[in-house]
Every structure is written in C-alpha cells, then in structure tokens.
Amino acid sequence: MKTRASVLILFFIASISSLFSIERTDLILPTIPEYQIIKCDLHAHTVFSDGEVWPTLRVREAWENGLDALAITDHIEYTPHDKDIHINLNRSTEIGAAVAPNYLLTFIKGAEITRDMPPGHFNALFIKNVDKLDTKDWHDAIQAAVDQGAFIFWNHPGWRGQQPDGIGKWYEEHTRLFEEGYLHGIEVVNEDEYYPEVHQWCLDKNLTIMGNSDIHGTIASQYSAGPARHRPMTWVLARENTVEAIKDGLINRRTVVYWRNKLIGRTPHLQMIAEKSLEIMPGQLALKSKNNTPLQLVNHSGLEFDLNLSFVESNLSLPTTVTIPPLSTVLIPVGRPEKSQVADKVLLRIQVNNFLDKPNQGLVFERELVVQ
Ligand SMILES: [Zn+2]
Ligand SMILES: [Zn+2]
C-alpha cells in the first residue's frame, strides 16, 4: 500500500511539472500581403549523429526561440555516438515529429548527406525514409532524396573544414546537380558564417537563399535573444504554416535569411518587409513656409533598421545616418537652404544597410514626400 501511494505521488508530481509554462522570444514582424512569414531553422543535429542533445530538446528550444517550423537533419554518414546510442537514421525525426504538436511547431523530416568536397554536404528535406539515402555513391543518395520529392540544398559551401580559405567553390559536380534540377537552394548563411559569393550564385542561378544554425550543442550556449547574436533563421513566405506550404515557399524561392541583425534575400521580399515596417510621418513636409521641419520615422517591427538617407536631386538636407531600434521612432530634422526654392514633391532615398539584397550591399528604395 505504501509503495502504491509513493507511485501515485510521483505520478502527480510528474503531471504537475509538465504543466509549467515556458517562455518564448517572439520577434514582431509586419503583416505582408498574401503570405505569412514562417520562421524556420532547417538544419539542426541531435545525438543521433554528432549533436549533443536529444530531439525533444531541439523541438522545445525551437519554440522558445520563436521559430514556427524546425527540421532535424542528422548526418547520414557520420554517427560518432554509435557505440552509446543505437543509430536508426529515421529515429531523431520520429521523436521530434511526435513532440512538435505539443508546441504547435511544424516539423520537417530531413537528413544531411555528408560527403567530402566536392560535392560536400547537402540537406534533403521532406523525405520519408532516410535509410534509402544511405548509399555508397553520393549521387545515388541525392537521387534517392529526389525520388522521395525532397527539397535539396547545399550546406555551408565555405565551411573551413572543407575550404580552408573560407570561400565557397563551385565544382562540376554542382553543375551536374544544377543542370539535373536536383539543387534547389544553398546556404548563404551557416551558423556564424555569411558567404557573399554564394549569395551571388543564388541570384545568378535563381536558387533559394538559405540560412540556418546547424546547431549541434544547445542554442542557449551559443546564441542570445538580442539582435546581434540571435539564432540564424530562414524565413519562408508561405500561405500558411504547414509542411506543404513551407515546401511551396522554398521551391518558389520565397525566403529571407535572418542573421546577426541582417536580412538577406531578394529585393521584392526585403523591400516589402522594409516598407511594411517603416512609416514616415507626416507624409508632407511644411518647407514652403519654413526652413526646417521635423520628420518622424516609425519602426513598427521588432527589427533594427540601419539607414542611410538622402533626397534625390534636391537641395534639402537631413542626417544621413540613422539607426532605428525595434518598435521605436526617430525624429529627423529636414532643412532647406535660406531663400531657396523647393519642388512640390521630393523623393527620399532610403538605403537599409542591414537588408542585403546583393552581396554585402544594402537594399535601396524611394518614398515620395509632398512639400507644402
Ligand atoms: Zn555539414
Ligand atoms: Zn550539419
């Protein structure tokens, strides 16, 4: 009887502890037309390859970090814990998929094809059976992923473990995959690295721009919640937060990478996020009657904006370098030279230095302002 009571108490404690709330760091992003911005990390490891954590912790920390979707992508060919853990190539994603609904997190089954350079490492997402990718020949592994309808991206082309100078190189193996239509995207960002040359490849070859953590240890030991050291993410512009909609977004190149307070992506996507985040108030400049007038730039998003401002073909002046913290407003004085004429409309040129639509180059767009 005593034993039974102890068991009951233990069961009660276990039930209560599972009801504790946990906290999530949410990044506020603007609402954009047609799509949701689904925050994903599509490259992560567990103890089932060379990671240090169990798959359930991967899922939980993904939710805590504000992600909407996670892929676990353990190495197929590299399993250094196999003397301690029975390696089943499908097991980490089975465990992850089972707990993801508890966090309302979309879970994507993946694996990392891990070969010497060339061709290097590739993640295959949306696969059904990892065992079929465990082949002798690297191309057979890619083919097995394609046969399962995978989205395939090349991981960390400039990783110093395979490229000592840290610069990605394109080999004939990559031309082969590209021409076969088997290469869908490339990591422009992996962990702490950004590869500008790979950014250009993605633009030139119309490949999906990817950026992921490739986390092996715990996120808490490697990243923080602040803007400078947050977890890298691939944001997918998708119609809804489902596996199928995320796949559609990836295949159709609708991604933005969020890395170290920077966004990396295609011009229309970055411009849409910038324009929906920033509001210029008022839309008129009262410069016909005055020499100086204030302009407010309101940042409605959780992103920081690092701006260079100028007027196009105008003698108006304003501070050229402006940083707007998340959810903040800055006041900018606009000046007109003494006794000078000013047009009825002026174009404000906005360069967002931390939104990279070309390698190491900030997005530029213009806003028309009425002068009264
Ligand atoms: Zn790798
Ligand atoms: Zn990896």
Side-chain angles (χ1 to χ4, degrees):
M1 192 64 199
K2 195 182 166 198
T3 311
R4 189 159 168 243
S6 308
V7 169
L8 277 174
I9 288 164
L10 273 176
F11 177 75
F12 182 69
I13 291 169
S15 307
I16 289 289
S17 66
S18 69
L19 290 176
F20 285 142
S21 63
I22 57 171
E23 268 182 36
R24 170 176 167 98
T25 305
D26 260 325
L27 180 67
I28 298 168
L29 294 177
T31 303
I32 57 169
E34 206 176 339
Y35 300 113
Q36 294 178 34
I37 300 175
I38 310 295
K39 303 182 196 89
C40 309
D41 188 347
L42 302 171
H43 190 167
H45 295 274
T46 75
V47 289
F48 285 87
S49 62
D50 58 344
E52 295 173 31
V53 311
W54 195 252
T56 51
L57 180 63
R58 267 301 160 254
V59 171
R60 176 187 164 135
E61 65 184 3
W63 183 85
E64 289 172 343
N65 298 154
L67 290 176
D68 305 308
L70 171 75
I72 289 181
T73 56
D74 275 313
H75 298 287
I76 297 169
E77 301 86 344
Y78 184 55
T79 53
H81 304 313
D82 55 8
K83 291 205 169 42
D84 298 304
I85 292 172
H86 171 68
I87 300 295
N88 165 345
L89 295 176
N90 288 292
R91 193 64 192 132
S92 61
T93 50
E94 286 170 2
I95 296 169
V99 296
N102 299 345
Y103 299 89
L104 304 175
L105 195 80
T106 299
F107 188 85
I108 295 165
K109 185 179 177 82
E112 184 167 7
I113 299 165
T114 309
R115 306 288 170 136
D116 292 340
M117 185 72 81
H121 298 190
F122 297 82
N123 272 4
L125 304 182
F126 312 106
I127 50 177
K128 293 162 191 75
N129 185 354
V130 185
D131 288 332
K132 296 230 160 70
L133 280 61
D134 190 11
T135 62
K136 191 163 181 292
D137 178 76
W138 67 268
H139 194 272
D140 289 346
I142 300 272
Q143 185 66 55
V146 169
D147 291 346
Q148 295 182 41
F151 175 86
I152 297 169
F153 60 96
W154 179 8
N155 298 338
H156 49 69
W159 174 48
R160 287 174 194 274
Q162 292 188 322
Q163 297 293 4
D165 62 2
I167 298 170
K169 290 173 190 62
W170 184 278
Y171 295 86
E172 60 188 41
E173 285 81 353
H174 304 115
T175 300
R176 177 183 176 189
L177 289 176
F178 178 69
E179 289 178 350
E180 289 168 330
Y182 289 180
L183 181 62
H184 308 125
I186 319 183
E187 277 184 341
V188 167
V189 161
N190 176 281
E191 198 182 355
D192 287 338
E193 296 176 339
Y194 163 60
Y195 313 113
E197 68 284 358
V198 178
H199 189 174
Q200 191 62 51
W201 295 347
C202 287
L203 299 177
D204 294 344
K205 299 173 193 299
N206 196 25
L207 292 166
T208 304
I209 294 172
M210 309 292 295
N212 299 300
S213 72
D214 197 359
I215 186 72
H216 286 72
T218 64
I219 288 286
S221 63
Q222 212 169 326
Y223 298 102
S224 60
R229 282 293 291 146
H230 62 81
R231 176 181 189 154
M233 300 178 190
T234 301
W235 296 347
V236 180
L237 310 193
R239 289 196 172 78
E240 56 185 4
N241 184 7
T242 62
V243 171
E244 278 311 309
I246 291 169
K247 187 175 181 181
D248 176 75
L250 289 170
I251 289 169
N252 290 294
R253 283 66 171 143
R254 294 193 307 267
T255 58
V256 172
V257 168
Y258 179 49
W259 176 75
R260 291 193 174 186
N261 207 27
K262 293 182 173 65
L263 300 194
I264 301 160
R266 293 189 151 74
T267 308
H269 303 146
L270 296 187
Q271 187 166 339
M272 187 160 54
I273 292 171
E275 292 197 305
K276 293 288 177 188
S277 299
L278 291 178
E279 186 182 359
I280 301 177
M281 294 173 66
Q284 296 103 18
L285 294 169
L287 283 168
K288 296 275 187 193
S289 53
K290 291 190 278 182
N291 285 339
N292 288 292
T293 188
L295 195 65
Q296 286 189 109
L297 278 181
V298 185
N299 177 8
H300 294 290
S301 78
L303 302 166
E304 186 176 284
F305 279 81
D306 169 16
L307 305 177
N308 278 9
L309 302 174
S310 59
F311 285 108
V312 179
E313 294 173 5
S314 167
N315 55 3
L316 300 181
S317 61
L318 81 174
T320 53
T321 306
V322 174
T323 298
I324 318 180
L327 301 170
S328 301
T329 301
V330 294
L331 193 68
I332 297 166
V334 178
R336 170 172 69 90
E338 285 286 333
K339 295 175 186 163
S340 64
Q341 294 296 309
V342 57
D344 293 337
K345 286 175 182 168
V346 288
L347 273 183
L348 178 63
R349 181 182 183 274
I350 302 170
Q351 178 169 323
V352 190
N353 295 315
N354 58 327
F355 280 31
L356 307 181
D357 63 344
K358 295 177 192 66
N360 285 320
Q361 214 176 303
L363 166 81
V364 176
F365 65 101
E366 291 169 354
R367 281 280 186 87
E368 190 178 80
L369 299 175
V370 175
V371 181
Q372 290 183 327

